[in-house]
Amino acid sequence: MTRVKVSRVTRVPAAEAPPASGECPPSGIHLTTDDGDAAMGLRVVGLHLENCGKRDCSLDGYPLLELLDEDLSPIQGVRIVHGSGGISTGTGCDEPARPLMLKPGGRALSGLMWRNTTESGAAVNVPYVRVRAEQGADPVTVTPRLDLGSTGKPAVRAWTRPSQ
């Protein structure tokens, strides 16, 4: 007999849930996160976008992000900065935003970066992030579980083409 222990259950509104692998949502934009990477307090989570629709998709700038608490309510007092925001150098996050045209099947990459440093003040934990590829796009709520420490300072990278 195999036993399974469920350690954490996450829930997002059905209309904002990332589609199952291989499915294309009605928006034609498939947005996912990766498992992230962490070293010496620096955390990075990739945001991956695929144009799975039948029309070209244009991106210009940064994904629009909304940080949400356990009840899926917006978290107040945390400002997301564009680029690295001085969190770390040499990550490519400070590359300027450039317009991207994604043909069907085209991909783009962005990412979130933060430090889990705890000094003075209360630690901030962000279980959910509502992501819009651009203004007016359908939202997708992902569950990267940002442990911002007491810095409370996440940064977002501009949309770019993934390295080949």
Side-chain angles (χ1 to χ4, degrees):
M1 173 187 241
T2 302
R3 295 179 190 255
V4 175
K5 179 181 177 187
V6 176
S7 62
R8 180 181 295 149
V9 175
T10 57
R11 59 180 170 69
V12 299
E16 296 180 18
S21 182
E23 288 184 26
C24 186
S27 68
I29 300 295
H30 188 243
L31 186 92
T32 59
T33 59
D34 57 32
D35 291 334
D37 195 6
M40 297 180 4
L42 180 64
R43 311 281 201 258
V44 179
V45 170
L47 297 173
H48 303 267
L49 183 145
E50 178 186 3
N51 179 359
C52 58
K54 294 180 168 87
R55 299 183 315 225
D56 290 354
C57 168
S58 64
L59 301 172
D60 189 6
Y62 298 83
L64 302 173
L65 308 175
E66 186 177 15
L67 307 178
L68 306 173
D69 65 17
E70 289 288 346
D71 297 323
L72 298 168
S73 297
I75 292 176
Q76 304 299 317
V78 176
R79 186 176 70 91
I80 302 165
V81 296
H82 288 177
S84 70
I87 294 170
S88 185
T89 59
T91 61
C93 287
D94 288 319
E95 293 292 319
R98 293 183 173 87
L100 294 178
M101 180 62 68
L102 300 180
K103 301 272 186 210
R107 297 174 185 267
L109 173 67
S110 178
L112 292 165
M113 179 174 53
W114 70 98
R115 283 214 178 266
N116 175 269
T117 305
T118 303
E119 294 172 357
S120 62
V124 177
N125 291 301
V126 180
Y128 301 98
V129 179
R130 182 173 287 136
V131 182
R132 285 182 171 80
E134 61 184 347
Q135 191 69 38
D138 292 338
V140 175
T141 298
V142 295
T143 58
R145 297 211 163 265
L146 310 181
D147 54 346
L148 300 178
S150 60
T151 64
K153 182 180 175 181
V156 64
R157 179 181 187 171
W159 287 117
T160 186
R161 295 194 190 280
S163 300
Q164 300 299 328

